[in-house]
Amino acid sequence: MTAPTLVQPPAAHTARPGGRAYHHPLYAELRSGPARWAALATFLTLLVPLVAKSSFWQGSWGSTQEQVHTVATLLGGPLAAAAGCWQGGRERRTHTAELRLTGARSRLAQFLVVAWPVAFGVLAGYMAAAAGALLASWPYVSAGRPLVLPSVADGVFLAAMTMLGTVVGRLARWRLAAPALAVCAYVALGVPTYQSSPVRFLSPAAAPGAGHSPLPVWWQPVAMAAWVGGLACAAVLAYAVHRHRCTALLPLAVAVAAAVSMVQAGEGMWRPDPLGARQVCDDASPRVCVNALDRGLLPAVSHALAGITGRLDGVAHVPLRFEDLPRAPHSGEAQLPQLYLGQSVVRGELAEPERFAWEAAAGLVARDCAAPLVGRTDNAVRDWLVSNGLSERRRRADAATARARGDDAAAAEAEAGARALARLRAMPDGRRRAWLGRYFATAGSCDPRGVPAL
């Protein structure tokens, strides 16, 4: 009598006739289905606006992630919903959904096989675009670090929009459901950002008001992920789980709890960046200080103002430093021109150093006065401090414009200003330094009898 033959369990990938291994249906969808097109469409949709505005975010981790977040929510979200809707509608139109239901897997598992590939494709496109933006900004950033949780929350949002879109595609029989859903999603995401109600913070595209830092508290991305993810899970369970639809109440309760916390917190979900309240300074006299977030720009700013600080060295009553903080300058400080990405700063460099120096000198001598003699003196001091090509061109252009208009009073004032500047330049160094000390001692005064004239 022969012993019974032991039957080996089948391998994870059962070989088919011809030597081909069996793979999970999700593998086939990821490899040859719409996932690749979803990834490409998402990547290009996010890449184009990022490249178009690259000068406005390269050089700051906060600005880079804020821009990526904006395009991911306002453009990537509607695209993800449309891609999921198209995939769900394709399954219904080709009767693939009914065919899948004849298998052994549950309705929920069949739904996930359809929705996950598109969600993975959308996430792949988003991660490629976000990683590219961070790499493009990295050479020009001098402080701070990128944040992980906001990027994870954006990924959860895109996946949730894909799932919701797939549910709509399964239910809607209109062939134009996908583009219509994209338009509706764009409106639903964008319109709340223009409202003043705290409910606007339920939109993933919402941002703090003007004057607030875009740095979220640690739990804000978690709450946003719970809000959008909970809604998506509730919709999927309500659609795909017939016998136990009450299970959709659990993710719905999580979503409601997260929504309540965000509405109650409002703009408290964002906090100032600690680096934004600090400065780094050079050793000039007066010292030149920039915000700690822009510490890499200090050499360029110091070089642009080298002529001004050199001329003010040894002059009495001048400010002790140029400061760059989001507040009014204190006593002994002068305000630097604002360093705006894409305007005064492009990819880690000052866009127009001469203009930056001119604006710094103009802010140093500015006073709200209507006395022509005081204004003429201020302009002469400003142009002597700057003494660059831009200052010369502006004076000549003003004089030429006055003569071209036939404005004799303006032309005479331009000539008087040129003579005042010439007298200041002709002074011996010691005498000019003493005169400038008396001039800066009258900062803020509009009395022509107190401000020394030229």
Side-chain angles (χ1 to χ4, degrees):
M1 186 175 181
T2 59
T5 304
L6 295 178
V7 179
Q8 298 292 333
H13 299 288
T14 305
R16 289 182 174 180
R20 296 181 62 186
Y22 168 75
H23 295 284
H24 193 277
L26 183 60
Y27 174 82
E29 290 285 348
L30 287 172
R31 185 174 181 182
S32 59
R36 296 177 301 173
W37 296 111
L40 180 61
T42 303
F43 176 71
L44 294 178
T45 300
L46 303 186
L47 181 66
V48 171
L50 285 174
V51 172
K53 291 191 172 183
S54 60
S55 60
F56 290 89
W57 51 262
Q58 280 184 289
S60 166
W61 290 131
S63 298
T64 301
Q65 291 198 277
E66 185 180 10
Q67 188 66 26
V68 171
H69 168 75
T70 300
V71 298
T73 51
L74 289 180
L75 300 180
L79 176 65
C85 185
W86 181 87
Q87 172 74 339
R90 187 193 70 162
E91 291 282 313
R92 180 182 47 76
R93 289 190 299 271
T94 59
H95 303 288
T96 307
E98 291 79 357
L99 181 61
R100 291 184 190 275
L101 290 176
T102 61
R105 292 185 178 88
S106 66
R107 183 184 179 92
L108 177 60
Q110 298 289 0
F111 176 86
L112 294 179
V113 167
V114 174
W116 274 356
V118 179
F120 289 157
V122 170
L123 289 177
Y126 163 73
M127 288 189 293
L134 292 174
L135 288 175
S137 190
W138 173 70
Y140 312 108
V141 177
S142 56
R145 59 182 177 82
L147 303 178
V148 176
L149 284 180
S151 298
V152 173
D154 288 343
V156 173
F157 162 72
L158 293 174
M161 292 297 288
T162 307
M163 294 295 181
L164 290 172
T166 307
V167 172
V168 173
R170 284 290 190 89
L171 297 175
R173 296 185 176 275
W174 189 30
R175 287 186 175 272
L176 297 179
L181 180 62
V183 173
C184 293
Y186 181 82
V187 173
L189 291 167
V191 169
T193 61
Y194 296 97
Q195 307 300 317
S196 58
S197 170
V199 180
R200 74 181 189 273
F201 295 112
L202 295 181
S203 170
H212 289 73
S213 171
L215 191 64
V217 296
W218 71 268
W219 59 265
Q220 189 271 343
V222 178
M224 183 59 68
W227 161 240
V228 296
L231 288 181
C233 289
V236 170
L237 292 176
Y239 167 77
V241 181
H242 280 177
R243 294 184 180 179
H244 304 284
R245 284 184 173 175
C246 60
T247 55
L249 295 178
L250 179 58
L252 184 60
V254 172
V256 172
V260 171
S261 65
M262 289 191 295
V263 171
Q264 290 180 342
E267 292 188 347
M269 292 186 293
W270 287 268
R271 62 182 177 86
D273 192 326
L275 288 177
R278 294 167 46 197
Q279 294 191 110
V280 290
C281 306
D282 63 7
D283 296 326
S285 180
R287 304 181 73 184
V288 176
C289 303
V290 300
N291 196 290
L293 289 170
D294 301 316
R295 67 178 62 182
L297 291 172
L298 180 59
V301 172
S302 298
H303 184 266
L305 301 186
I308 296 176
T309 55
R311 288 176 174 83
L312 292 177
D313 189 17
V315 176
H317 305 295
V318 298
L320 299 178
R321 66 177 184 174
F322 289 92
E323 61 89 17
D324 179 29
L325 286 175
R327 59 164 173 76
H330 293 164
S331 177
E333 295 179 338
Q335 180 70 53
L336 272 183
Q338 292 297 311
L339 297 170
Y340 291 115
L341 288 179
Q343 300 179 29
S344 54
V345 178
V346 177
R347 296 180 180 88
E349 297 291 340
L350 287 179
E352 299 179 85
E354 289 187 343
R355 180 174 179 176
F356 186 84
W358 190 93
E359 291 177 352
L364 180 64
V365 303
R367 66 183 95 199
D368 188 14
C369 292
L373 184 60
V374 174
R376 184 186 307 162
T377 303
D378 291 341
N379 293 339
V381 173
R382 176 201 64 203
D383 290 338
W384 178 79
L385 287 175
V386 178
S387 296
N388 62 24
L390 175 63
S391 180
E392 297 287 342
R393 292 191 297 271
R394 289 178 71 101
R395 287 200 312 276
R396 293 172 183 173
D398 290 344
T401 301
R403 288 192 296 268
R405 290 200 313 258
D407 189 342
D408 296 337
E413 181 61 31
E415 293 176 358
R419 290 193 297 269
L421 176 60
R423 286 192 290 270
L424 181 59
R425 284 175 172 170
M427 288 183 184
D429 291 343
R431 180 185 171 189
R432 182 170 52 231
R433 193 175 297 112
W435 184 92
L436 287 171
R438 296 195 303 273
Y439 168 81
F440 282 108
T442 65
S445 172
C446 291
D447 185 0
R449 294 170 298 180
V451 178
L454 288 169

